[in-house]
Amino acid sequence: MDAALIDPEKQRLDVLRDFGVLDTGPEQDFDDLAQLAAAICEVPVALVSLVDTDRQWFKARVGIDDAEMPLSQSICAHVIRANDFTEIPDTTADPRTADNPVVTGPDHIRFYAGALLKTSQGVSLGTLCVLDRVPRKLTDLQKQTLEVLADQVMRQLELRRALADAEILRKEVDHRVKNSLQSIESLIRMQSRQAASPEVKTALDAVRGRLATVSGLHLALYQTETGASVDIATFLKKVVETVAQQLPRGVKVDVDIAPILLPSRLASALGMIVNEAITNAGKYAFQGRKTGRVTISGARFGDNYRLVCADDGPGLGDGEGGGTGLGLRIIEASAQQLGGDMQFLDRGIGTAIEVAWPLH
């Protein structure tokens, strides 16, 4: 009997393709289940078989080299039609398989047993099947185990799809957040250019700098593969690149940050510290000067991490630079959020702020 004559249900094929597993590479989880099925059932061949429109494709295979075979040779297609566990003790004596090329040809398949791979909605995608080259029967325990292993294959397939769906959703959310942040930043930039009052312009520029820090954090999270943690070396370089655009042209910023991973909440606080330190330097350290230098450095010391933001300006004076302004209050609050503290360093030139916190 030609299995290709079985009418494939469009719904089943749509569900199969929705899993996005066809023609993917080998995966250890599926290979292990196929190996276990072969060992428990004491057979030379075991397959994680998915029945497509005109072929049977193997996500995992033990004992054969081919990655797929034509549907006309598929025994698994009959199992989907029966919609139940199927065992064929002697394939030469069963009308469904007696004229199958895998039985009559050099493969010499004489035994088949297949447990359905069913979704939680009851849609059959294929089978976990075992084959032998001699007639035989499985024990009740082997049958039960094969069905349990088939359930595990299906759970792996559904987990794989859920992770893929979650990644697609994450990318869509990230894309929308990125666009929203860029739109807001552009609006603030336009308002700053049109502002008649220097005080309003300064305030808008400060807001834009802080927004750019949030945008940089989002970008770092979007590009990382470490979940909700951020490599601060990469992240802070992006923050510096953005904030440095507000500095006078002759002012250079040196960055030397030892990489560590921080949770996004703490990385955000660190970004705010760097943003405010550079912004403060730009406002107070280089007035009346064409050149200057800002240094952002960070290194691990034992169980602590130390970040130093320094400039080569005239040093502390009155107002913001003297430690009473909003920028320094933001730095102090951010240091507390890290679980550390802020202090001024006496280097004999310029202003240097150190923020140190424990790496729990």
Side-chain angles (χ1 to χ4, degrees):
M1 178 178 178
D2 190 346
L5 296 177
I6 299 174
D7 288 334
E9 297 181 1
K10 184 178 184 302
Q11 178 191 17
R12 187 187 71 78
L13 293 172
D14 287 344
V15 172
L16 174 61
R17 289 184 175 83
D18 185 56
F19 272 82
V21 68
L22 291 173
D23 299 311
T24 57
E27 296 181 49
Q28 191 65 47
D29 291 337
F30 297 101
D31 292 343
D32 289 346
L33 290 169
Q35 290 279 3
L36 188 57
I40 290 175
C41 295
E42 302 175 302
V43 296
V45 180
L47 305 168
V48 174
S49 171
L50 300 172
V51 179
D52 199 1
T53 308
D54 55 0
R55 61 172 178 160
Q56 174 178 274
W57 180 80
F58 307 131
K59 177 59 182 172
R61 58 189 189 273
V62 175
I64 67 169
D65 296 327
D66 294 335
E68 62 180 60
M69 64 174 57
L71 193 63
S72 60
Q73 299 179 21
S74 171
I75 302 177
C76 297
H78 295 292
V79 183
I80 290 180
R81 185 184 187 190
N83 198 34
D84 199 2
F85 183 94
T86 298
E87 183 180 34
I88 303 176
D90 185 353
T91 56
T92 62
D94 192 294
R96 294 171 295 182
T97 56
D99 59 351
N100 192 307
V102 301
V103 176
T104 60
D107 291 324
H108 200 75
I109 297 300
R110 293 292 180 268
F111 166 79
Y112 174 92
L116 284 168
L117 302 178
K118 272 191 176 183
T119 69
S120 53
Q121 290 75 35
V123 179
S124 297
L125 306 182
T127 70
L128 172 62
C129 61
V130 292
L131 303 92
D132 205 344
R133 295 182 174 87
V134 294
R136 56 170 300 163
K137 284 188 177 182
L138 297 180
T139 66
D140 290 342
L141 179 58
Q142 287 173 327
K143 292 178 183 178
Q144 182 181 0
T145 303
L146 192 61
E147 290 186 301
V148 170
L149 292 177
D151 287 340
Q152 290 302 310
V153 170
M154 199 62 241
R155 298 294 80 76
Q156 288 293 330
L157 287 172
E158 291 183 332
L159 176 61
R160 189 182 185 280
R161 182 175 66 170
L163 290 173
D165 289 346
E167 179 64 14
I168 292 172
L169 179 60
R170 184 186 74 85
K171 288 183 177 180
E172 175 63 22
V173 171
D174 284 339
H175 180 69
R176 294 188 180 189
V177 170
K178 177 183 176 182
N179 287 347
S180 297
L181 289 172
Q182 288 177 339
S183 297
I184 296 172
E185 191 176 348
S186 296
L187 288 172
I188 293 175
R189 185 184 297 110
M190 291 173 58
Q191 290 294 323
S192 176
R193 289 172 179 171
Q194 297 171 6
S197 167
E199 291 79 9
V200 172
K201 185 179 188 312
T202 299
L204 287 173
D205 285 341
V207 172
R208 186 167 66 88
R210 288 156 190 158
L211 183 63
T213 300
V214 175
S215 181
L217 175 62
H218 173 262
L219 181 61
L221 284 171
Y222 177 76
Q223 293 177 337
T224 187
E225 296 181 357
T226 55
S229 296
V230 175
D231 177 0
I232 65 168
T234 302
F235 168 51
L236 291 182
K237 285 180 182 178
K238 295 183 181 300
V239 172
V240 170
E241 288 174 3
T242 301
V243 184
Q245 297 175 15
Q246 303 175 34
L247 296 174
R249 288 187 178 182
V251 176
K252 305 299 182 184
V253 183
D254 296 328
V255 183
D256 183 15
I257 302 293
I260 60 167
L261 291 177
L262 279 185
S264 58
R265 178 179 62 86
L266 300 184
S268 177
L270 200 59
M272 286 298 176
I273 291 171
V274 171
N275 176 79
E276 298 302 325
I278 296 177
T279 300
N280 273 8
K283 289 163 63 178
Y284 300 102
F286 307 111
Q287 293 181 1
R289 298 173 57 190
K290 294 182 179 180
T291 61
R293 189 168 297 276
V294 176
T295 301
I296 308 295
S297 60
R300 182 169 184 160
F301 291 86
D303 294 331
N304 296 321
Y305 196 94
R306 290 170 54 194
L307 177 78
V308 176
C309 304
D311 63 64
D312 62 354
L316 297 178
D318 297 330
E320 184 103 5
T324 61
L326 176 61
L328 288 176
R329 291 201 296 272
I330 290 176
I331 292 176
E332 289 175 340
S334 298
Q336 292 174 4
Q337 188 175 349
L338 285 162
D341 53 28
M342 181 205 83
Q343 63 177 332
F344 289 99
L345 301 180
D346 184 4
R347 292 189 167 185
I349 185 174
T351 301
I353 297 173
E354 179 189 85
V355 175
W357 69 94
L359 294 175
H360 297 308

